């Protein structure tokens, strides 16, 4: 890559070369210029009223002025553009570029942070859910066991009570049956007395009652 | 006189000036050169005065111009031509503003003068040749012999290549000058028709004279395009010459 300062020098050199060549003499242009001057000798600047014959572009008398001012204005423009104008525009464009890429970087970074936070949150939720599930299972198992135990206890208690009650009922039934026998015997004796007018012997009554009970049972 | 289509190209002296025996008077041509240079500089500096992140109108134009020329240099001259960007930008901006200022009625188009376009083209030519010699030294002269050409044809080929190389500034300058001059002359000729018709035909002339005016309206649009296009072509060719200087083949 060629040194930029060198390029400025070269540019100046080129402009100087052009100027020298043009001022030093351009035979072909000069000749046509002479023709123009012969046709209308030396009036172009004095009055501006006379119409020039031929193309004004070929009037070589105007060449030095045009080249001089071109070199001056273009050279100045080049220096201003290269030293002031373009660096300024370039700086603005670069600043915008930097700002945009900076913002993009920041956005990417923030997104990464957000993603990490979301991931951590989701992990925590999953862990909490898992532990809650585990706790729920354990509690359910323990509750089931306790319920089964209590059911079994209650069932055993009920069975025992039922047995007691059945035994008591049986006892009372026997007592009641015994009482029925005595009452039946008395009633039979009283009925015999009333019907026959004879007092039956105790043994005969008992035997009859037993026989009747046996038939019923 | 007013209807002479070439009158618009006349150099009018504003401030007489002599330097080392040469007439370097400040003329209408010089004036619009200064105007063009000032406008370009103002666009770049005033436009970026705010250095806004979101550009305003003027800053947008400045940025657009910058990126447009940067694109031309990148596409046509390659990435290595980056140091020459200011020169290419100056050429494009100067020619474009010169052409566009000329589209304003009553102004002078300095790019319609062969000496101006030739001086610009010659500057480009000399600059490009110096760049090529500095980059490649003696090897630069191999540019004039296309690679792979039979050696028997070398004298002829070198002659043709040298001539075509030397013709570069000529074609470059004549293309711009001829386009600008032809366009402005044509506009003036059509405008002259209207004036002639009105002078010769009276009331009918006013009616018939509207036709060249309508043609001129279309032509002015066309000429604005040409004004841009010729600045673009001049710049693209400059970039292609720079690429040749950098790459040789």
């Amino acid at each position: 890559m060629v040194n930029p300062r060198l390029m400025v020098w070269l540019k100046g050199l080129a402009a100087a070369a052009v100027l020298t060549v043009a001022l030093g003499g351009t035979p072909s242009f000069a000749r046509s210029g002479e023709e123009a001057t012969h046709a209308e000798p030396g009036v172009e600047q004095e009055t501006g009223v006379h119409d020039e014959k031929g193309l004004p572009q070929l009037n070589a008398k105007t060449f030095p002025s045009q080249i001089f001012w071109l070199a001056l204005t273009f050279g100045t423009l080049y220096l201003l553009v290269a030293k002031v104008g373009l660096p300024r525009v370039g700086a603005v464009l670069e600043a915008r570029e930097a700002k945009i890429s900076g913002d993009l970087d920041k956005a990417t970074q923030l997104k990464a942070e957000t993603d990490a936070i979301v991931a951590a949150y989701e992990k925590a939720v999953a862990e909490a859910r898992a532990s809650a599930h585990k706790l729920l299972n354990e509690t359910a198992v323990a509750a089931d066991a306790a319920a089964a135990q209590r059911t079994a206890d209650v069932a055993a208690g009920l069975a025992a009570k039922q047995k007691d009650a059945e035994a008591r009922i049986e006892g009372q039934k026997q007592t009641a049956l015994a009482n029925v026998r005595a009452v039946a015997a008395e009633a039979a004796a009283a009925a015999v007395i009333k019907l026959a007018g004879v007092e039956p012997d105790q043994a005969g009554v008992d035997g009859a009652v037993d026989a009747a009970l046996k038939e019923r049972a | 006189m007013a209807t002479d289509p070439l009158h618009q190209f006349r150099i009018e002296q504003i401030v007489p000036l002599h330097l080392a025996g040469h007439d370097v008077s400040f003329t209408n041509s010089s004036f619009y050169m200064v105007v063009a240079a000032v406008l370009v500089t103002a666009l770049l500096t005033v436009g970026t005065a705010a250095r806004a992140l979101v550009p305003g109108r003027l800053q947008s134009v400045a940025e657009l111009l910058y990126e447009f020329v940067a694109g031309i240099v990148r596409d046509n001259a390659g990435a290595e031509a980056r140091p020459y960007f200011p020169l290419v930008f100056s050429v494009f901006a100067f020619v474009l503003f010169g052409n566009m200022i000329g589209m304003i009625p009553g102004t002078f188009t300095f790019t319609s003068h062969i000496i101006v376009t030739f001086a610009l083209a010659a500057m480009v030519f000399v600059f490009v040749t110096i760049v090529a010699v500095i980059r490649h030294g003696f090897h630069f002269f191999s540019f004039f012999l296309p690679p792979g050409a039979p050696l028997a044809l070398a004298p002829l080929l070198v002659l043709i290549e040298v001539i075509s190389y030397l013709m570069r500034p000529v074609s470059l300058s004549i293309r711009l000058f001829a386009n600008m001059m032809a366009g402005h002359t044509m506009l003036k000729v059509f405008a002259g028709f209207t004036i002639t018709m009105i002078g010769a035909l009276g009331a009918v002339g006013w009616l018939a004279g509207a036709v060249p005016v309508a043609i001129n309206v279309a032509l002015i649009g066309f000429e604005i395009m040409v004004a841009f296009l010729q600045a673009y072509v001049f710049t693209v060719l400059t970039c292609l010459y720079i690429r040749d200087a950098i790459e040789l083949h």
Side-chain angles (χ1 to χ4, degrees), chain A residues 32 58 88 91 110 114 124 148 177 182 198 205 210 213:
Chain A
S32 43
L58 297 180
R88 284 181 67 137
L110 286 177
T114 314
L177 278 177
V198 191
V205 173
D210 280 346
L213 280 174

Side-chain angles (χ1 to χ4, degrees), chain A residues 26-52:
Chain A
T26 44
S28 59
F29 291 129
R31 226 178 296 122
S32 43
E34 266 166 24
E35 279 159 23
T37 334
H38 283 311
E40 195 72 32
V43 290
E44 142 232 21
Q45 280 144 20
E46 281 84 15
T47 57
V49 174
H50 294 265
D51 279 337
E52 286 278 330

